[in-house]
Amino acid sequence: MKNGIFSFSEKLSTILLIIIGLLPTSRGVYWIVSTESAINDSPLYVKLDSIAPLFVWGIPLLIGGLCLIISSIFIVSTKTRRYYYISLIVGGLLCGIGSLIIAAASVENNLNWLTPVHNTCLSIGFFALTWIGTRSLWNQKKEKI
């Protein structure tokens, strides 16, 4: 940041983290708030609900998505960089695991092939965020030693 103005990379990263965080957050809220009506939306939701109630699946997605959104707040300052990495790791991990489970459950219980592909791509992206956060936090720790 120069003279209080975000760099292009900071603007882009902030916007993308908010957008990618809104995806699991919205699904989590939907599953928590509309559990009863959501169950009948698709065979995938019926399958997930047979393993655990949909609101149980929604809680980690909501928390993970919020962590990703929160991480965008900490991206701009070196003083808060540690919080950025931690929220990136937690959010990426929760959303990655959630998306992977959804992808696995949707292979045989979907409306079309797009659902498992979409969730697999999201899972890879979330795990990449986790990897980046973990690696960066580790490097930051090594530099202080």
Side-chain angles (χ1 to χ4, degrees):
M1 186 164 52
K2 296 180 182 178
N3 299 327
I5 300 171
F6 294 131
S7 70
F8 176 77
S9 297
E10 290 169 336
K11 289 177 190 175
L12 187 61
S13 297
T14 300
I15 290 168
L16 290 175
L17 278 171
I18 291 170
I19 291 169
I20 200 73
L22 285 172
L23 293 171
T25 300
S26 59
R27 182 175 291 219
V29 168
Y30 178 62
W31 284 354
I32 292 168
V33 173
S34 303
T35 301
E36 295 304 316
S37 62
I39 292 170
N40 300 316
D41 283 352
S42 77
L44 167 62
Y45 294 173
V46 171
K47 179 65 175 177
L48 287 172
D49 190 64
S50 71
I51 298 167
L54 277 184
F55 74 87
V56 171
W57 297 108
I59 292 170
L61 287 174
L62 173 63
I63 293 168
L66 289 175
C67 283
L68 291 176
I69 293 168
I70 290 168
S71 72
S72 71
I73 297 167
F74 298 123
I75 199 169
V76 295
S77 172
T78 54
K79 293 178 185 177
T80 59
R81 199 56 55 111
R82 184 168 186 260
Y83 300 119
Y84 166 68
Y85 296 140
I86 291 170
S87 57
L88 198 64
I89 293 166
V90 171
L93 191 60
L94 287 173
C95 293
I97 291 170
S99 294
L100 188 63
I101 291 169
I102 294 167
S106 67
V107 169
E108 292 185 17
N109 303 292
N110 61 50
L111 300 175
N112 55 47
W113 60 267
L114 187 59
T115 303
V117 170
H118 177 256
N119 284 290
T120 301
C121 291
L122 282 173
S123 181
I124 291 167
F126 290 132
F127 286 134
L129 292 176
T130 304
W131 173 253
I132 290 168
T134 303
R135 188 77 174 165
S136 300
L137 187 62
W138 179 257
N139 288 340
Q140 186 182 43
K141 183 180 177 183
K142 282 176 42 180
E143 289 173 5
K144 287 185 178 181
I145 295 178

